[in-house]
Amino acid sequence: MKNFKKVIINAIGEDLEETSFIPLVSENEPEGYSKSINKDSEIDILPLRNTVLFPGIIMPITVGRKSSLKLIRDNHKKGNLIGCIAQRDKNVDNPKFEDLHEVGTAANILKILEMPDGTTTVIVQGKQSFQLTSILEDNKKGYLTGLISPRKSNSKYEKNPTKNFKALISAIKDLAMRIIRLSGNVQQEVLFALKNIEGNGYIVNFVSANVGLEKDERQSILEIEDLEERASELLKKLSTMSQMLEIKSSIQSQAMENIDKQQREYFLQQQIKTIQKELGGSISEQDLKQIKEKAAKKKWSEEVKEAVEKQIQKLEALSPHSPDYSVQNNYVQTLVDLPWNEFTKDNFNLKRAEKILNRDHFGLDDVKDRIIEHLAVLKLKGSLHSPIICLYGPPGVGKTSLGKSIAEALGRKYARISLGGLHDESEIRGHRRTYIGAMPGRIIQNLLKVGSANPVFILDEIDKVGNDYKGDPESALLEVLDPEQNNAFHDNFIDMDFDLSNVMFIATANSLSNISKPLLDRMELINISGYIVEEKIEIANKYLIPKQLANHGISEDIISIPKKTIRAIIEQYTRESGVRALDKTIAKIARKAAKKRALDENFTDTLAESSLYEYLGLAPFSQDEQDDKEEVGIVTGLAWTSVGGEILQIETSISKCKGGKLTLTGNLGDVMKESATLGLQYIRAHAEELGISEDFFEDKNIHIHVPEGAIPKDGPSAGVTMATSLLSAITGRKVRKHIAMTGEITLHGKVLPVGGIKEKILAAKRSGVTDIILCKENQKNIEDIKPIYVKGVKFHYVKDLKEVFALALKES
């Protein structure tokens, strides 16, 4: 019965009226409930003019007499039961014993409500019926007090109802639901209650209170003490009422048939209009009024305003039955919803912006500096067309997530579309309205969504845009990303120029090689080369570990991961430029820790390097380390890969053969093979100067090998390493230990600069290298690296191979 109590609670409000309130069943037993009512119990009497309260029923009673108001207030404070009993004559203002019926209901006061019209309504809950035996004459309370006796309980009908009684109750429920429906004023709460009430006493009392019986009929039913007799009497009255309602319904149906043809047609036309409105085939005057109100508030130019007003007039003139109506309605709605010259205010607090960018992303200094610069110019100048930035670099370095941080730093809205696999030009420029299912392009759709003309707009995976017979979306982006053109971007659907110059477009790409030259020319390129190990450690410690521990429901006091262990995870279990695989690896550790904690609530752990196998299994990668000895013909080179820097041990051996020969192994690319040839040719050209006999090369097989032959290798940066390895093997001079080098060479022995210096240096440092040989022109790259990352490494800057040989090789 708790559902009914919720309904009654919801119904008790300031606008409650007795006529609109449905008497509902309480959650207590209807009879035999109160053990406080004994023979000759004294109780205060509340006379009722027009209603009868049944046990188990919650209902409102409007109280107007001063004596009755005093009665309910006194007893509500004390929590006493009151006796609710109907008057024989409703017009008697000061009833006495003979003016009241003998049978009433003891009730509990639930709530007193002061209504807006000045009246007072009390919500009462019927508890148990009683017999009024007398009224106390010497009462000085100001209201009636009587002596009552309880009536007998009917619990036998609840525990062991007879078949006849069950049939009576079923018939009462069926007739009551039929009467409610025939009355034309169906109360859903009543029907719901009838279907769900299980107690037999509840059903009889509930139906008696709700089906519309006269007051005297309800009183006569209340006075019947035996529940089965009371149910029989109720069934008789319901049958009579049902027959009367059926006759009335029949008469009304016949009257409806006499409606003339004109009235019938009018009625049907109104129904058709309603159906059309539900199906979206027409627009009401109210909807059209809303469109005009939106249009009046827009900040568009006179040209656009005039064009939109024409389209609204066209919509008004169209018939709802016209096939163009829904298209025109959709078009007008799009026009008035677009954020024409509606901008969010940029936040020029540079310190706040810098704090947000540093909070969300570690490193990426170039990107952060560019955003701060843009904000600074905006602050000083007041207006500036937003830049078009392209962030390119390997996966997992945070290119896409930067967009949200930039939007928050600028105080702008955030929009994003994924261009990966996009091959339809209309996805960018929209469809013409003449096509079925036409809609704006994704640029306009996102502007509609964010409701701002200057959001931060991420064009994700711009290097993966495709093209086919439907068009070339990459070429369509030329207009979007051209600062000189996008102030008049033309979407085919809206068929009007829209200003995109205030949108900050940020494109992301993994590789620039797949992007056309004209598109690259329109963007400001910022390279995110990837994170160094030290940066990954900080990212894992500050961002990834707290995030994954929270995602898996464990705290840092359950499992902690020291920085040494994080470094081991990075070097042995992940090999990438970004941190996506690192994030997944930390998630795996968190899952294992969550399992251990669930099995043992006292489990805690500080993850050591030696415990990684238990959590992650065998390490798929091993960290290269330089041999701690001086050897002949083995030189350490530095290489760049997409997952960071690595060291290469280049080996050279000399053997006798008929005729000189150069053998290269190790899955080398053409450029790398050419570097070996150049190195050998330089040594042969300077043989006398280097202390090599002229006929040395005539009967020698020179074999150069780069280990890990399954991995393709290419690039010019191994030139100095190969030349040094060749000279060491030919002359027998040992290579100094803890030294590494990188650089391209020319035929005349000049050392040229190479790229990836930051990654190469950090790879060398991880491998125990203390001295690095670089081209003189690469010195500027060292200055860009934070001192903490190059601490303990000595750099030697050279211009030609002679300087390299002097530094790397020991005298024989």
Side-chain angles (χ1 to χ4, degrees):
M1 306 305 290
K2 290 184 179 179
N3 288 332
F4 307 140
K5 189 163 185 181
K6 289 180 181 177
V7 173
I8 197 81
I9 291 169
N10 291 334
I12 299 174
E14 293 183 356
D15 56 348
L16 180 69
E17 295 181 6
E18 183 179 352
T19 55
S20 65
F21 188 87
I22 303 166
L24 293 177
V25 183
S26 75
E27 61 183 350
N28 298 316
E29 292 293 335
E31 296 190 61
Y33 168 79
S34 178
K35 295 181 181 179
S36 62
I37 298 178
N38 301 312
K39 188 175 181 180
D40 294 331
S41 292
E42 186 176 317
I43 194 170
D44 295 331
I45 302 298
L46 177 66
L48 306 177
R49 294 181 187 269
N50 296 306
T51 189
V52 176
L53 177 65
F54 284 85
I57 302 298
I58 297 174
M59 66 181 295
I61 299 171
T62 301
V63 179
R65 286 180 279 216
K66 292 183 179 180
S67 58
S68 298
L69 286 169
K70 189 173 186 301
L71 181 149
I72 63 171
R73 290 196 173 100
D74 289 351
N75 285 279
H76 184 244
K77 292 177 182 177
K78 298 175 183 177
N80 294 336
L81 292 175
I82 61 171
C84 296
I85 193 164
Q87 295 180 198
R88 298 181 186 276
D89 184 357
K90 66 177 182 180
N91 296 317
V92 176
D93 290 330
N94 296 305
K96 298 181 180 178
F97 179 78
E98 58 271 15
D99 298 319
L100 302 172
H101 287 284
E102 296 179 359
V103 177
T105 301
N108 200 13
I109 300 172
L110 298 180
K111 193 172 184 67
I112 300 173
L113 303 174
E114 302 296 335
M115 308 307 290
D117 59 359
T119 60
T120 300
T121 297
V122 59
I123 308 297
V124 296
Q125 178 185 21
K127 294 293 184 180
Q128 183 181 4
S129 61
F130 61 81
Q131 185 83 24
L132 181 66
T133 56
S134 64
I135 295 293
L136 300 179
E137 296 295 338
D138 58 347
N139 177 27
K140 297 181 181 180
K141 297 179 181 179
Y143 43 80
L144 297 177
T145 301
L147 297 178
I148 62 172
S149 296
R151 304 177 80 206
K152 73 176 182 178
S153 171
N154 289 287
S155 59
K156 67 177 182 177
Y157 294 105
E158 300 293 342
K159 296 177 181 179
N160 299 302
T162 62
K163 291 183 179 179
N164 184 54
F165 185 71
K166 288 180 179 179
L168 268 174
I169 296 300
S170 179
I172 286 171
K173 289 177 73 173
D174 292 342
L175 269 177
M177 285 190 281
R178 180 175 178 79
I179 289 169
I180 291 170
R181 291 191 178 101
L182 285 172
S183 67
N185 185 23
V186 180
Q187 303 281 1
Q188 293 299 324
E189 292 89 346
V190 176
L191 291 175
F192 174 75
L194 276 174
K195 291 176 182 177
N196 291 278
I197 294 174
E198 295 180 357
N200 296 322
Y202 280 131
I203 293 172
V204 174
N205 291 345
F206 181 74
V207 172
S208 300
N210 282 283
V211 295
L213 296 175
E214 296 294 330
K215 189 261 290 183
D216 291 338
E217 292 177 318
R218 281 180 279 171
Q219 181 65 34
S220 65
I221 292 173
L222 179 64
E223 291 176 356
I224 300 173
E225 194 163 11
D226 184 77
L227 185 57
E228 187 171 358
E229 291 180 18
R230 192 190 307 170
S232 298
E233 181 64 22
L234 174 61
L235 184 61
K236 291 177 186 177
K237 295 185 184 300
L238 292 178
S239 298
T240 304
M241 182 182 291
S242 176
Q243 292 172 10
M244 293 294 293
L245 286 172
E246 285 179 357
I247 295 170
K248 180 180 177 182
S249 178
S250 176
I251 293 171
Q252 288 177 340
S253 297
Q254 292 175 5
M256 287 292 292
E257 291 176 1
N258 294 327
I259 298 175
D260 61 16
K261 183 179 180 181
Q262 185 178 358
Q263 290 173 313
R264 184 182 294 274
E265 287 179 354
Y266 174 77
F267 178 71
L268 292 173
Q269 286 172 356
Q270 293 300 316
Q271 283 188 322
I272 289 172
K273 288 182 180 180
T274 304
I275 292 169
Q276 286 176 339
K277 183 178 179 181
E278 292 296 324
L279 293 174
S282 65
I283 187 169
S284 67
E285 292 182 2
Q286 184 64 28
D287 292 336
L288 191 58
K289 182 181 176 182
Q290 290 177 357
I291 288 176
K292 290 181 177 179
E293 288 176 354
K294 283 184 181 179
K297 296 177 182 178
K298 288 293 173 181
K299 302 175 183 178
W300 41 40
S301 63
E302 287 298 321
E303 182 182 353
V304 175
K305 182 179 180 182
E306 184 179 346
V308 174
E309 287 177 350
K310 285 182 180 179
Q311 296 299 330
I312 294 174
Q313 291 171 5
K314 184 178 178 181
L315 177 64
E316 287 183 286
L318 280 174
S319 167
H321 305 289
S322 170
D324 295 331
Y325 188 84
S326 59
V327 175
Q328 184 66 15
N329 181 26
N330 185 30
Y331 176 55
V332 172
Q333 289 281 6
T334 302
L335 290 179
V336 298
D337 288 339
L338 264 175
W340 301 88
N341 297 320
E342 295 175 16
F343 308 111
T344 55
K345 188 176 180 181
D346 287 328
N347 190 327
F348 297 127
N349 189 332
L350 302 185
K351 290 184 179 179
R352 173 184 172 275
E354 190 173 9
K355 184 179 179 181
I356 290 171
L357 293 172
N358 289 330
R359 178 198 68 192
D360 296 340
H361 294 82
F362 188 85
L364 307 180
D365 295 331
D366 290 343
V367 186
K368 294 175 182 176
D369 288 344
R370 182 64 186 87
I371 301 306
I372 299 300
E373 288 168 6
H374 176 66
L375 264 178
V377 175
L378 275 175
K379 183 176 183 180
L380 296 176
K381 188 178 179 182
S383 65
L384 178 72
H385 285 176
S386 293
I388 295 167
I389 297 171
C390 179
L391 307 176
Y392 70 96
V397 294
K399 299 185 297 295
T400 304
S401 62
L402 264 170
K404 286 186 178 179
S405 300
I406 292 170
E408 185 181 352
L410 294 172
R412 294 189 180 189
K413 299 289 184 67
Y414 171 78
R416 172 187 171 272
I417 61 173
S418 178
L419 299 175
L422 194 72
H423 53 76
D424 190 349
E425 180 187 345
S426 59
E427 293 284 346
I428 304 297
R429 285 209 177 103
H431 307 80
R432 297 192 181 277
R433 299 199 310 278
T434 52
Y435 298 139
I436 295 173
M439 62 178 64
R442 293 198 187 183
I443 304 292
I444 297 297
Q445 285 181 37
N446 277 274
L447 293 178
L448 282 166
K449 189 186 299 183
V450 300
S452 167
N454 66 332
V456 172
F457 207 122
I458 303 296
L459 300 173
D460 219 0
E461 309 292 355
I462 198 171
D463 57 327
K464 297 176 180 62
V465 176
N467 60 73
D468 60 9
Y469 65 93
K470 296 179 182 178
D472 183 3
E474 189 176 42
S475 298
L477 285 170
L478 293 176
E479 182 185 5
V480 176
L481 299 180
D482 191 338
E484 301 300 323
Q485 297 180 39
N486 65 7
N487 61 341
F489 172 67
H490 190 87
D491 186 277
N492 291 328
F493 182 82
I494 64 173
D495 201 23
M496 278 185 264
D497 291 340
F498 192 89
D499 187 2
L500 297 179
S501 62
N502 295 289
V503 178
M504 176 178 273
F505 287 103
I506 300 177
T508 70
N510 296 130
S511 172
L512 300 181
S513 59
N514 298 326
I515 306 175
S516 66
K517 294 292 182 183
L519 194 56
L520 280 176
D521 187 55
R522 285 162 166 78
M523 299 185 292
E524 182 179 338
L525 302 177
I526 298 178
N527 180 26
I528 303 178
S529 58
Y531 297 109
I532 57 180
V533 173
E534 284 73 7
E535 288 176 331
K536 289 182 181 179
I537 292 171
E538 293 300 321
I539 291 169
N541 196 45
K542 292 181 179 179
Y543 304 99
L544 303 184
I545 293 174
K547 181 188 76 172
Q548 290 298 346
L549 292 183
N551 289 347
H552 291 82
I554 54 180
S555 58
E556 293 184 8
D557 59 346
I558 294 174
I559 184 167
S560 62
I561 308 177
K563 289 188 177 182
K564 286 186 179 179
T565 308
I566 298 172
R567 178 183 287 275
I569 294 170
I570 293 167
E571 294 176 348
Q572 299 174 31
Y573 290 88
T574 67
R575 183 163 286 187
E576 56 173 349
S577 291
V579 292
R580 193 167 286 153
L582 178 59
D583 192 29
K584 293 177 183 177
T585 306
I586 293 170
K588 187 175 180 180
I589 293 172
R591 288 195 299 272
K592 294 279 186 183
K595 178 184 174 182
K596 290 175 180 285
R597 182 69 174 188
L599 295 172
D600 179 9
E601 60 183 27
N602 296 320
F603 166 78
T604 58
D605 192 10
T606 299
L607 189 60
E609 294 179 54
S610 58
S611 303
L612 285 178
Y613 175 78
E614 180 185 352
Y615 283 84
L616 300 174
L618 287 172
F621 308 109
S622 61
Q623 184 61 37
D624 297 326
E625 289 190 8
Q626 191 184 42
D627 292 335
D628 192 20
K629 59 183 178 179
E630 296 174 343
E631 295 184 274
V632 175
I634 301 177
V635 182
T636 303
L638 300 177
W640 178 91
T641 69
S642 61
V643 295
E646 291 187 0
I647 66 169
L648 291 176
Q649 296 286 352
I650 295 179
E651 305 171 344
T652 302
S653 67
I654 309 293
S655 61
K656 288 187 177 183
C657 71
K658 291 183 180 181
K661 189 170 69 170
L662 176 64
T663 304
L664 302 171
T665 57
N667 202 352
L668 308 182
D670 291 339
V671 177
M672 207 162 182
K673 291 177 181 177
E674 290 172 358
S675 295
T677 305
L678 285 170
L680 180 59
Q681 185 58 36
Y682 175 82
I683 292 172
R684 293 182 69 169
H686 297 79
E688 183 178 352
E689 186 180 343
L690 296 170
I692 304 170
S693 62
E694 294 181 4
D695 57 350
F696 177 85
F697 300 98
E698 293 178 1
D699 60 347
K700 296 293 189 297
N701 175 32
I702 301 174
H703 189 157
I704 299 177
H705 176 68
V706 183
E708 298 186 23
I711 301 173
K713 310 168 191 71
D714 203 6
S717 61
V720 293
T721 314
M722 286 183 164
T724 305
S725 178
L726 281 167
L727 185 60
S728 173
I730 292 168
T731 60
R733 295 168 63 182
K734 291 184 179 181
V735 181
R736 299 182 192 277
K737 62 180 180 181
H738 304 310
I739 195 166
M741 60 192 70
T742 184
E744 183 180 356
I745 60 173
T746 68
L747 189 59
H748 289 82
K750 288 185 178 180
V751 179
L752 303 179
V754 291
I757 295 298
K758 180 170 70 173
E759 289 82 359
K760 292 177 180 178
I761 290 172
L762 291 162
K765 187 180 176 184
R766 290 195 302 269
S767 303
V769 171
T770 58
D771 294 81
I772 297 176
I773 299 173
L774 295 170
C775 174
K776 179 68 174 176
E777 294 183 33
N778 282 127
Q779 186 172 357
K780 59 181 180 294
N781 301 106
I782 306 300
E783 296 169 358
D784 287 340
I785 303 174
K786 294 180 179 179
I788 190 174
Y789 297 146
V790 295
K791 186 179 180 181
V793 178
K794 186 177 181 181
F795 298 99
H796 305 276
Y797 304 107
V798 298
K799 292 183 179 180
D800 56 47
L801 278 174
K802 292 178 183 177
E803 295 180 63
V804 176
F805 297 154
L807 288 167
L809 301 177
K810 299 185 74 175
E811 294 298 330
S812 56

